[in-house]
Amino acid sequence: MAFFRGLTAVSRLRSRMAQEATTLGGVRWLQMQSASDLDLKSQLQELIPEQQDRLKKLKSEHGKVQLGNITVDMVLGGMRGMIGMLWETSLLDPEEGIRFRGLSIPECQKVLPTAVKGGEPLPEGLLWLLLTGKVPTKEQVDALSKELLARSTVPAHVYKAIDALPVTAHPMTQFTTGVMALQVESEFQKAYDNGLPKSKFWEPTYEDCLNLIARLPPVASYVYQRIFKGGKSIEADNSLDYAANFSHMLGFDDPKMLELMRLYVTIHTDHEGGNVSAHTGHLVGSALSDPYLSFAAALNGLAGPLHGLANQEVLLWIKSVIEETGSDVTTDQLKDYVWKTLKSGKVVPGFGHGVLRKTDPRYSCQREFALKHLPEDPLFQLVSKLYEVVPPILTELGKVKNPWPNVDAHSGVLLNHFGLSEARYYTVLFGVSRSMGIGSQLIWDRALGLPLERPKSVTMEWLESYCKNKAA
């Protein structure tokens, strides 16, 4: 596993990552690439046979190895902690946080190409990494940006389908409707109906996923303009990258906002496969539903208050703090409000996580962005106070395994600072981002020939009987 030899500091980082990947049996084929290999699909064509052989070897040599014990608590507790699916693009460690193909967020910020010197990673670079396990060059990322732009034309019927809904419909309802309307363009459905062999399923899946990823920003920005800006339309800027163009079509051209959107999309792309939206996309895709159907289902999961909708709840809750206590809130006032929230039977949004047991690295990198670009913002200062106040209270409460802030605790404040203050829209931003992770894994699901997902369910009577017999 050889890394491209560049600047000394970056070389040392890459060398260390290569050693870790080899030692841990992680990303065996993580590497830098040459500038000549600009076509993403051809890269996949080279990688897929090796990974297919790897999967076959894993099944034949280790198929009967047990990965742990299933308890009644797991069955009744949302399958927490069960190992039950393959998800190649990222892995979530309870202590370290997310790793994209073996790379942490800080490592991605150091090695992935950027639009400006010293800036945030371009999401196209992470998409390349998720799909290939390879850190792309700037030339490869630029080529992918142009390819996505070329794929981004949205058929007129999609906008008509959205317009059929009341303008008061939730942004996620309108966004998902747009995705479903895009489904009539599915290359996978056409190829499947024409008898495409299973070994080639990944190819039209790739086309669908790249088309879907490319067309989401125009659809999402249309929803935003329709609901919040009177229906005006802003054309794409062909000179901009994926995230910057999305920001532009939303109506935000501040260079700092463009950088924020690059960071936002990058860190929200993927969070392994067990979360609601990722698992839903994988589950529906396992039935050979095309990527549009699979991703629309994932979006409906993302729209739930316990998943993606939480990012809008955070900003609304923070603003409610200010409404009750004033903008110059003291630590004691903040503690009282947190306790008031908890005693009313509600949660403090933006804190805790189903897997993580430390501060979410996605929170940390957003905090670093705020310290760099908006340290005096009143809402950011309030978020900083919450970081000091909330975890001790949740720890004292004794019912929370992770009292630390998650990704949702910070994103709304950053978006609000640059003028994107419509909290009901935030989950749409999350959805656009998550398409890259779910789409990448769907392509690999088809390339590896992963089967229909069909776990076993049981009744309470079965559990009672089984436990009684075990105790006898």
Side-chain angles (χ1 to χ4, degrees):
M1 188 182 306
F3 279 83
F4 178 82
R5 309 226 185 277
L7 297 175
T8 303
V10 177
S11 295
R12 284 200 300 266
L13 171 66
R14 292 169 183 160
S15 177
R16 178 175 66 79
M17 290 187 296
Q19 292 170 3
E20 287 178 356
T22 301
T23 302
L24 299 176
V27 187
R28 299 188 304 131
W29 29 284
L30 179 64
Q31 56 185 312
M32 291 297 289
Q33 302 191 78
S34 65
S36 60
D37 302 320
L38 299 181
D39 182 54
L40 178 56
K41 192 171 184 179
S42 67
Q43 294 281 311
L44 277 172
Q45 285 174 324
E46 293 178 8
L47 292 168
I48 284 170
E50 176 191 345
Q51 298 307 306
Q52 289 172 334
D53 291 343
R54 185 183 178 192
L55 183 68
K56 290 175 184 176
K57 182 178 180 181
L58 191 62
K59 282 189 73 173
S60 64
E61 295 184 2
H62 306 292
K64 304 304 179 184
V65 174
Q66 294 187 358
L67 297 178
N69 296 316
I70 297 175
T71 66
V72 174
D73 278 342
M74 291 176 173
V75 173
L76 300 180
M79 298 191 288
R80 296 292 174 93
M82 284 187 192
I83 299 175
M85 64 186 298
L86 183 68
W87 193 269
E88 285 289 277
T89 51
S90 64
L91 185 67
L92 181 59
D93 183 271
E95 302 298 325
E96 287 189 340
I98 194 64
R99 283 187 174 271
F100 304 113
R101 291 291 191 178
L103 297 183
S104 68
I105 288 175
E107 289 167 343
C108 285
Q109 289 177 302
K110 290 178 181 177
V111 301
L112 290 179
T114 62
V116 297
K117 186 177 180 180
E120 301 299 338
L122 288 161
E124 298 95 316
L126 188 60
L127 175 59
W128 191 292
L129 174 66
L130 294 177
L131 276 169
T132 70
K134 300 178 182 181
V135 176
T137 64
K138 182 63 162 63
E139 291 80 5
Q140 288 168 326
V141 169
D142 289 344
L144 182 54
S145 291
K146 291 177 182 177
E147 180 180 354
L148 290 174
L149 186 63
R151 291 173 177 266
S152 65
T153 301
V154 177
H157 75 264
V158 174
Y159 299 124
K160 291 179 181 178
I162 295 171
D163 287 342
L165 294 169
V167 73
T168 54
H170 193 279
M172 282 297 283
T173 302
Q174 299 192 40
F175 184 45
T176 306
T177 298
V179 171
M180 287 297 294
L182 283 169
Q183 190 274 339
V184 301
E185 302 282 310
S186 174
E187 296 296 328
F188 179 84
Q189 184 188 48
K190 295 172 189 174
Y192 185 84
D193 290 345
N194 289 330
L196 184 75
K198 185 177 179 181
S199 62
K200 294 187 177 294
F201 279 179
W202 77 269
E203 295 182 18
T205 300
Y206 175 90
E207 297 301 325
D208 276 357
C209 287
L210 268 288
N211 286 339
L212 176 62
I213 291 167
R215 294 168 187 175
L216 289 181
V219 173
S221 59
Y222 183 83
V223 170
Y224 178 77
Q225 299 292 352
R226 180 175 188 255
I227 297 174
F228 302 110
K229 302 298 178 181
K232 70 176 182 178
S233 177
I234 300 176
E235 294 296 319
D237 183 338
N238 293 350
S239 69
L240 294 175
D241 56 86
Y242 183 87
N245 222 338
F246 185 21
S247 180
H248 165 71
M249 288 187 285
L250 290 171
F252 303 96
D253 291 306
D254 184 325
K256 292 180 180 179
M257 178 60 171
L258 304 189
E259 276 290 275
L260 173 60
M261 193 63 79
R262 292 173 185 128
L263 175 64
Y264 183 100
V265 175
T266 296
I267 65 175
H268 284 81
T269 53
D270 205 27
H271 216 231
E272 79 168 25
N275 63 76
V276 170
S277 56
H279 188 191
T280 301
H282 172 81
L283 171 64
V284 175
S286 78
L288 296 185
S289 299
D290 65 61
Y292 297 95
L293 297 175
S294 302
F295 187 65
L299 287 177
N300 287 328
L302 190 69
L306 296 182
H307 191 18
L309 203 69
N311 57 9
Q312 80 172 38
E313 300 299 325
V314 172
L315 184 62
L316 296 175
W317 184 83
I318 288 174
K319 288 184 174 181
S320 74
V321 174
I322 295 174
E323 288 175 6
E324 181 161 319
T325 64
S327 57
D328 192 21
V329 58
T330 67
T331 299
D332 286 339
Q333 286 177 313
L334 199 51
K335 288 179 179 178
D336 289 342
Y337 195 86
V338 170
W339 276 114
K340 176 184 175 182
T341 299
L342 294 170
K343 289 177 179 177
S344 69
K346 300 178 182 178
V347 300
V348 179
F351 287 79
H353 192 273
V355 177
L356 285 168
R357 293 298 173 259
K358 287 189 176 179
T359 298
D360 192 334
R362 299 172 298 173
Y363 171 94
S364 300
C365 70
Q366 290 181 98
R367 176 172 172 78
E368 290 169 5
F369 184 95
L371 287 168
K372 180 179 179 181
H373 296 293
L374 48 130
E376 303 303 321
D377 183 273
L379 291 183
F380 167 60
Q381 293 179 347
L382 179 54
V383 166
S384 297
K385 286 183 180 180
L386 286 168
Y387 188 38
E388 299 172 2
V389 168
V390 175
I393 291 176
L394 294 179
T395 301
E396 181 183 341
L397 195 63
K399 297 180 180 179
V400 179
K401 293 181 179 180
N402 172 22
W404 304 106
N406 59 47
V407 64
D408 298 319
H410 222 307
S411 56
V413 168
L414 297 178
L415 295 166
N416 182 79
H417 175 83
F418 292 105
L420 211 173
S421 57
E422 297 86 359
R424 293 176 69 238
Y425 184 76
Y426 289 171
T427 312
V428 175
L429 300 175
F430 198 159
V432 172
S433 309
R434 189 50 61 92
S435 67
M436 292 191 175
I438 293 175
S440 296
Q441 184 58 44
L442 277 173
I443 293 167
W444 276 106
D445 287 349
R446 299 288 76 80
L448 296 173
L450 297 188
L452 176 71
E453 184 176 309
R454 180 49 170 96
K456 180 76 177 80
S457 64
V458 295
T459 64
M460 282 198 288
E461 181 181 3
W462 186 96
L463 285 172
E464 290 165 345
S465 176
Y466 181 86
C467 293
K468 182 178 179 181
N469 291 336
K470 287 285 286 186

